[in-house]
Amino acid sequence: MVRPPEGGEPQFVNAADGEWLPETTGSWDKQAGGYAPPRLAAGSRAPSSPAPIVYTSSRFDPYDNLLWMTAKPLALKPDAFIGKLKTSRQLVYAASGAERTYSFPLPVYGYQTWTNGSPSAAEAAGTEAVYVVTGTDTAIRLIALDALMSSGKFVTF
C-alpha cells in the first residue's frame, strides 16, 4: 500500500512485480470481511505434526506458457488433490470470484500434510490438513488447500 504524501486514498502495488493494482481500501475490506480460517488448518491449539514437503517438480513460472489461461478448471475434491498433483506434477492456481478485481497465478509444485493428533487416528478421522507448495526459488509458501479451494481454481500447466 502506498499513501500519497498529500493524503487521499491509498494505492496498492503488487510487491512481486511492481504493478499497480485496481484495489481500493473498500475493496480490500470487502474481501477480508468474511475471512474464516480453513477448517483443517494446523494451529497451536491442537498438537500437529508435519510430514516432509513433497516436491512434484521444480519451481516454474506460469507466465512461461500461458495456455493454462484457456484450460478448463479441474473439478477437484480435496481428497483427490494430491493424486492429481502427483500425476500432473505442475498445476496453476488462480484466484477468482465476484469480489476480486484481478487474478494472480500461483505455481503449484508440491504439498505438505499436517496431522492433528496421532497420524493413524488423524488419517482415519480425515483430519489431515494439506498445504500447497508455491512461491519463488528463494522463498516458498505453504498455503492451506481448504483456503484455496474456496476462492479460486486449479488448472493443469
Side-chain angles (χ1 to χ4, degrees):
M1 177 173 54
V2 177
R3 293 189 186 276
E6 66 278 351
E9 185 76 19
Q11 295 180 311
F12 296 88
V13 179
N14 181 339
D17 62 13
E19 179 182 356
W20 290 95
L21 301 176
E23 294 292 344
T24 64
T25 303
S27 66
W28 280 121
D29 292 345
K30 199 173 189 182
Q31 291 176 47
Y35 176 77
R39 182 178 62 87
L40 294 176
S44 59
R45 291 189 181 150
S48 304
S49 58
I53 294 175
V54 176
Y55 293 96
T56 55
S57 80
S58 57
R59 193 242 174 243
F60 65 98
D61 185 348
Y63 293 113
D64 286 345
N65 180 352
L66 298 177
L67 289 177
W68 64 266
M69 290 180 164
T70 61
K72 290 184 179 179
L74 297 170
L76 284 176
K77 301 247 186 249
D79 58 347
F81 173 80
I82 291 175
K84 181 60 180 173
L85 181 58
K86 285 181 176 179
T87 303
S88 298
R89 300 188 56 227
Q90 298 175 329
L91 299 175
V92 173
Y93 173 82
S96 59
E99 303 303 325
R100 304 230 180 249
T101 56
Y102 66 95
S103 180
F104 188 77
L106 297 175
V108 177
Y109 51 91
Y111 66 93
Q112 182 180 43
T113 57
W114 281 70
T115 319
N116 294 330
S118 70
S120 58
E123 288 171 18
T127 58
E128 186 174 70
V130 176
Y131 284 77
V132 171
V133 176
T134 185
T136 65
D137 289 331
T138 57
I140 68 165
R141 292 179 65 194
L142 293 144
I143 304 172
L145 176 62
D146 282 0
L148 295 178
M149 297 288 277
S150 66
S151 61
K153 63 182 180 181
F154 288 94
V155 295
T156 305
F157 182 69

